[in-house]
CSV table of all heavy atoms in Angstrom, one decimal:
chain,number,residue,atom,x,y,z
A,104,LYS,N,26.7,-20.0,-12.3
A,104,LYS,CA,25.5,-20.4,-13.1
A,104,LYS,C,24.3,-20.5,-12.2
A,104,LYS,O,24.4,-20.8,-11.0
A,104,LYS,CB,25.7,-21.6,-13.9
A,104,LYS,CG,26.0,-22.9,-13.0
A,104,LYS,CD,26.3,-24.1,-13.9
A,104,LYS,CE,26.6,-25.3,-13.0
A,104,LYS,NZ,26.9,-26.5,-13.8
A,105,PRO,N,23.1,-20.4,-12.7
A,105,PRO,CA,21.9,-20.7,-11.9
A,105,PRO,C,21.7,-22.2,-11.8
A,105,PRO,O,22.1,-23.0,-12.7
A,105,PRO,CB,20.7,-20.1,-12.7
A,105,PRO,CG,21.2,-20.0,-14.1
A,105,PRO,CD,22.7,-19.9,-14.0
A,106,VAL,N,21.2,-22.6,-10.7
A,106,VAL,CA,20.9,-24.0,-10.4
A,106,VAL,C,19.4,-24.3,-10.7
A,106,VAL,O,18.5,-23.6,-10.1
A,106,VAL,CB,21.2,-24.4,-9.0
A,106,VAL,CG1,20.8,-25.9,-8.7
A,106,VAL,CG2,22.7,-24.2,-8.7
A,107,ILE,N,19.1,-25.2,-11.7
A,107,ILE,CA,17.7,-25.4,-12.0
A,107,ILE,C,17.4,-26.9,-11.7
A,107,ILE,O,17.7,-27.8,-12.5
A,107,ILE,CB,17.5,-25.1,-13.5
A,107,ILE,CG1,17.8,-23.7,-13.8
A,107,ILE,CG2,16.0,-25.4,-13.9
A,107,ILE,CD1,17.9,-23.3,-15.3
A,108,THR,N,16.9,-27.1,-10.5
A,108,THR,CA,16.6,-28.4,-10.1
A,108,THR,C,15.2,-28.4,-9.5
A,108,THR,O,14.6,-27.3,-9.4
A,108,THR,CB,17.5,-28.9,-9.0
A,108,THR,OG1,17.5,-28.0,-7.9
A,108,THR,CG2,18.9,-29.1,-9.5
A,109,GLU,N,14.6,-29.5,-9.1
A,109,GLU,CA,13.3,-29.5,-8.5
A,109,GLU,C,13.2,-28.7,-7.2
A,109,GLU,O,12.3,-27.9,-7.0
A,109,GLU,CB,12.9,-31.0,-8.3
A,109,GLU,CG,11.4,-31.2,-8.0
A,109,GLU,CD,11.0,-32.6,-8.0
A,109,GLU,OE1,11.8,-33.5,-8.5
A,109,GLU,OE2,9.9,-32.9,-7.5
A,110,LYS,N,14.3,-28.8,-6.4
A,110,LYS,CA,14.3,-28.1,-5.1
A,110,LYS,C,14.5,-26.6,-5.4
A,110,LYS,O,13.8,-25.8,-4.7
A,110,LYS,CB,15.5,-28.6,-4.3
A,110,LYS,CG,15.5,-28.0,-2.9
A,110,LYS,CD,16.6,-28.7,-2.1
A,110,LYS,CE,16.7,-28.1,-0.7
A,110,LYS,NZ,17.8,-28.6,0.1
A,111,ALA,N,15.3,-26.2,-6.4
A,111,ALA,CA,15.4,-24.8,-6.7
A,111,ALA,C,14.2,-24.2,-7.2
A,111,ALA,O,13.8,-23.0,-7.0
A,111,ALA,CB,16.6,-24.6,-7.7
A,112,THR,N,13.4,-25.0,-8.0
A,112,THR,CA,12.1,-24.5,-8.5
A,112,THR,C,11.1,-24.3,-7.4
A,112,THR,O,10.3,-23.3,-7.4
A,112,THR,CB,11.6,-25.5,-9.5
A,112,THR,OG1,12.5,-25.8,-10.5
A,112,THR,CG2,10.3,-25.0,-10.2
A,113,MET,N,11.2,-25.2,-6.4
A,113,MET,CA,10.3,-25.0,-5.2
A,113,MET,C,10.7,-23.8,-4.4
A,113,MET,O,9.8,-23.1,-3.9
A,113,MET,CB,10.3,-26.2,-4.3
A,113,MET,CG,9.6,-27.4,-4.9
A,113,MET,SD,9.9,-29.0,-4.0
A,113,MET,CE,9.6,-28.6,-2.4
A,114,ALA,N,12.0,-23.5,-4.4
A,114,ALA,CA,12.5,-22.3,-3.7
A,114,ALA,C,12.0,-21.0,-4.4
A,114,ALA,O,11.7,-20.0,-3.8
A,114,ALA,CB,14.0,-22.3,-3.6
A,115,SER,N,11.9,-21.1,-5.7
A,115,SER,CA,11.4,-19.9,-6.5
A,115,SER,C,10.0,-19.5,-6.1
A,115,SER,O,9.6,-18.3,-6.3
A,115,SER,CB,11.6,-20.1,-8.0
A,115,SER,OG,10.7,-21.1,-8.4
A,116,GLU,N,9.2,-20.4,-5.6
A,116,GLU,CA,7.8,-20.1,-5.2
A,116,GLU,C,7.9,-19.2,-4.0
A,116,GLU,O,6.9,-18.4,-3.7
A,116,GLU,CB,7.0,-21.3,-4.9
A,116,GLU,CG,6.8,-22.2,-6.1
A,116,GLU,CD,6.2,-23.5,-5.8
A,116,GLU,OE1,5.7,-23.7,-4.7
A,116,GLU,OE2,6.1,-24.3,-6.7
A,117,ASN,N,9.0,-19.2,-3.2
A,117,ASN,CA,9.1,-18.3,-2.0
A,117,ASN,C,10.0,-17.1,-2.4
A,117,ASN,O,10.7,-16.6,-1.5
A,117,ASN,CB,9.7,-19.1,-0.9
A,117,ASN,CG,8.8,-20.2,-0.4
A,117,ASN,OD1,7.6,-20.1,-0.5
A,117,ASN,ND2,9.3,-21.4,0.0
A,118,ASN,N,10.1,-16.7,-3.6
A,118,ASN,CA,10.8,-15.6,-4.1
A,118,ASN,C,12.3,-15.7,-3.9
A,118,ASN,O,13.0,-14.8,-3.4
A,118,ASN,CB,10.3,-14.3,-3.4
A,118,ASN,CG,10.4,-13.1,-4.4
A,118,ASN,OD1,10.5,-13.3,-5.6
A,118,ASN,ND2,10.3,-11.9,-3.8
A,119,ALA,N,12.8,-16.9,-4.1
A,119,ALA,CA,14.3,-17.2,-3.9
A,119,ALA,C,14.8,-17.8,-5.2
A,119,ALA,O,14.1,-18.4,-6.0
A,119,ALA,CB,14.5,-18.2,-2.8
A,120,VAL,N,16.1,-17.5,-5.5
A,120,VAL,CA,16.8,-18.0,-6.7
A,120,VAL,C,18.0,-18.7,-6.2
A,120,VAL,O,18.7,-18.3,-5.2
A,120,VAL,CB,17.1,-16.9,-7.6
A,120,VAL,CG1,17.7,-17.4,-8.9
A,120,VAL,CG2,15.9,-16.0,-7.9
A,121,VAL,N,18.4,-19.8,-6.8
A,121,VAL,CA,19.6,-20.6,-6.4
A,121,VAL,C,20.7,-20.4,-7.5
A,121,VAL,O,20.4,-20.6,-8.7
A,121,VAL,CB,19.3,-22.1,-6.2
A,121,VAL,CG1,20.5,-22.8,-5.7
A,121,VAL,CG2,18.1,-22.2,-5.3
A,122,PHE,N,21.9,-20.1,-7.0
A,122,PHE,CA,23.0,-20.0,-7.9
A,122,PHE,C,24.2,-20.8,-7.5
A,122,PHE,O,24.4,-21.0,-6.3
A,122,PHE,CB,23.6,-18.5,-8.0
A,122,PHE,CG,22.6,-17.5,-8.6
A,122,PHE,CD1,21.9,-16.7,-7.8
A,122,PHE,CD2,22.4,-17.5,-10.0
A,122,PHE,CE1,21.0,-15.7,-8.4
A,122,PHE,CE2,21.6,-16.6,-10.5
A,122,PHE,CZ,20.8,-15.7,-9.7
A,123,GLN,N,25.0,-21.4,-8.4
A,123,GLN,CA,26.3,-22.0,-8.0
A,123,GLN,C,27.3,-20.8,-8.0
A,123,GLN,O,27.3,-20.0,-9.0
A,123,GLN,CB,26.7,-23.0,-9.0
A,123,GLN,CG,27.9,-23.7,-8.6
A,123,GLN,CD,28.3,-24.9,-9.6
A,123,GLN,OE1,27.4,-25.5,-10.2
A,123,GLN,NE2,29.6,-25.1,-9.7
A,124,VAL,N,28.0,-20.7,-6.9
A,124,VAL,CA,28.9,-19.6,-6.8
A,124,VAL,C,30.4,-20.1,-6.5
A,124,VAL,O,30.6,-21.3,-6.3
A,124,VAL,CB,28.5,-18.7,-5.6
A,124,VAL,CG1,27.2,-18.0,-5.9
A,124,VAL,CG2,28.4,-19.4,-4.3
Side-chain angles (χ1 to χ4, degrees):
K104 63 183 179 182
V106 177
I107 302 170
T108 59
E109 196 169 343
K110 186 175 179 182
T112 307
M113 287 170 51
S115 68
E116 294 173 9
N117 297 325
N118 215 18
V120 186
V121 184
F122 294 104
Q123 184 177 330
V124 295

